[in-house]
């Protein structure tokens, strides 16, 4: 409560400084007591007094005077509420020596203004419309509350819009990060698949060399020369060539087809490893949350 009272005093000081600055440029008024005072009332008071003066010499609509008087009352409501809520706390602070005489005098000055303004607005209301003085402050309070609710509703809409904007930006950021991770994973899988394909191609080449080597040896031994000087007998039957008779021990596949099959097998193994790693990471995260 004491902190609220100190804040109120500071706000009152700022309010009076602002009103004094506005009063230095405002039009003159016959109410010189307020000009000589350190406190300057709301500008609507001066505007109503000037409008009422004009109504004596020219045609001014009654509705215009009523509207201006209501604005005068509505702008006095915040000062009235502040004094009602914090007035007692300010008095206690002053009695305890926590407020200077100057600040206490300014608060008393504002209180005197509010008391006088309350009566003046009631008299002006009765002058414009008979019996209006009894209800004008109640109406002003209702208008003040409506304006407050409108301002709060507008602030809520602004906060909601900002919250939605932050949510959309966060969602976009998450989607962008997810896309980056997916792209990185895809690149990793592609690189591993390319490595596996290269290894498979190398392995296929070695297997093809091993598969062809027995046939070559048999063919070379069968095609070797006979003993020196010896000629084959004309009566002997021709012996079929061993290279033609011996079939390949291992059937050799097309190297390109073998590379494709091996690459597909290695890619499948890599995908299964990636899936196992992902499940293991998810299991670790769930175990951490439970702990």
């Amino acid at each position: 409560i004491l902190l609220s009272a100190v804040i109120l005093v500071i706000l009152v000081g700022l309010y009076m400084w602002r009103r004094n600055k506005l009063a230095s440029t405002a039009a003159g008024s016959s109410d010189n007591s307020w000009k000589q005072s350190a406190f300057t009332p709301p500008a609507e008071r001066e505007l109503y007094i000037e409008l009422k003066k004009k109504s004596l010499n020219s045609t001014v609509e009654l509705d215009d005077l009523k509207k201006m008087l209501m604005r005068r009352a509505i702008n006095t409501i915040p000062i009235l509420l502040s004094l009602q809520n914090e007035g007692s706390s300010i008095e206690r602070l002053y009695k305890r020596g926590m407020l200077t005489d100057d600040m206490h005098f300014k608060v008393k000055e504002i209180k005197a203004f509010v008391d006088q303004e309350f009566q003046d607005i009631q008299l002006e209301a009765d002058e414009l419309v008979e019996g209006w003085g009894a209800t004008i402050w109640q109406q002003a309070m209702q208008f003040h509350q409506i304006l407050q609710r409108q301002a709060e509703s507008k602030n809520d809409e602004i906060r909601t819009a900002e919250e939605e904007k932050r949510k959309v930006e966060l969602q976009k950021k998450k989607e962008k990060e997810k896309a980056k991770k997916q792209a990185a994973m895809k690149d990793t899988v592609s690189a591993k698949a390319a490595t596996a394909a290269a290894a498979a191609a190398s392995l296929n080449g070695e297997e093809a060399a091993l598969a062809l080597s027995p046939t070559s040896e048999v063919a070379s031994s069968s095609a070797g020369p006979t003993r020196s000087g010896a000629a084959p007998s004309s009566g002997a039957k021709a012996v079929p060539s061993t290279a033609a008779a011996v079939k390949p021990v291992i059937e050799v596949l097309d190297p390109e087809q073998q590379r494709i099959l091996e690459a597909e097998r290695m890619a499948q193994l890599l995908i299964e490893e990636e899936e196992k790693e992902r499940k293991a990471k998810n299991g670790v995260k769930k175990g951490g949350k439970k702990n």
Side-chain angles (χ1 to χ4, degrees), residues 39-107:
F39 171 73
T40 303
E44 285 74 15
R45 182 177 186 276
E46 296 272 347
L47 294 174
Y48 175 79
I49 293 173
E50 291 179 1
L51 187 62
K52 187 177 180 181
K53 284 182 180 179
K54 291 179 180 179
S55 67
L56 300 176
N57 301 324
S58 61
T59 302
V60 176
E61 295 292 336
L62 178 62
D63 288 343
D64 294 336
L65 286 172
K66 289 168 64 178
K67 290 177 183 178
M68 185 57 66
L69 184 62
M70 180 58 69
R71 288 176 57 189
R72 176 180 171 182
I74 291 172
N75 283 273
T76 308
I77 291 291
I79 306 174
L80 176 62
L81 294 177
S82 298
L83 288 174
Q84 287 179 349
N85 295 332
E86 309 296 342
S88 59
S89 299
I90 292 173
E91 288 295 332
R92 285 196 298 270
L93 287 173
Y94 178 71
K95 289 178 181 179
R96 293 178 184 179
M98 299 178 69
L99 285 181
T100 62
D101 292 338
D102 184 56
M103 293 299 296
H104 184 253
F105 173 77
K106 289 178 180 178
V107 173

Side-chain angles (χ1 to χ4, degrees), residues 201 204 253-263:
N204 290 334
L253 296 177
D254 182 14
E256 184 65 24
Q257 184 179 4
Q258 183 68 19
R259 282 196 297 272
I260 293 173
L261 292 174
E262 188 64 23

Side-chain angles (χ1 to χ4, degrees), residues 154-202:
K154 186 176 181 180
N155 292 334
D156 291 340
E157 290 177 359
I158 294 173
R159 284 194 294 269
T160 302
E162 291 177 351
E163 193 71 22
E164 291 295 329
K165 184 178 179 181
R166 283 194 295 269
K167 288 181 180 179
V168 170
E169 291 176 352
L170 182 60
Q171 184 65 27
K172 289 181 178 179
K173 185 177 180 181
K174 288 181 178 179
E175 291 177 356
K176 189 175 181 180
E177 291 176 354
K178 184 178 179 181
K180 286 182 179 179
K181 289 180 180 179
Q182 290 178 348
M185 185 178 294
K186 185 177 179 181
D187 292 340
T188 302
V189 172
S190 299
K192 290 182 178 180
T195 303
S202 176

Side-chain angles (χ1 to χ4, degrees), residues 6 32 48 55-56 66 81 89 110-111 114 134 137 161 163 185 200 206 208 227 246:
V6 172
N32 294 324
Y48 175 79
S55 67
L56 300 176
K66 289 168 64 178
L81 294 177
S89 299
I110 294 172
K111 185 177 182 302
V114 170
W137 282 106
E163 193 71 22
M185 185 178 294
E206 294 176 359
R227 276 189 256 178
V246 179

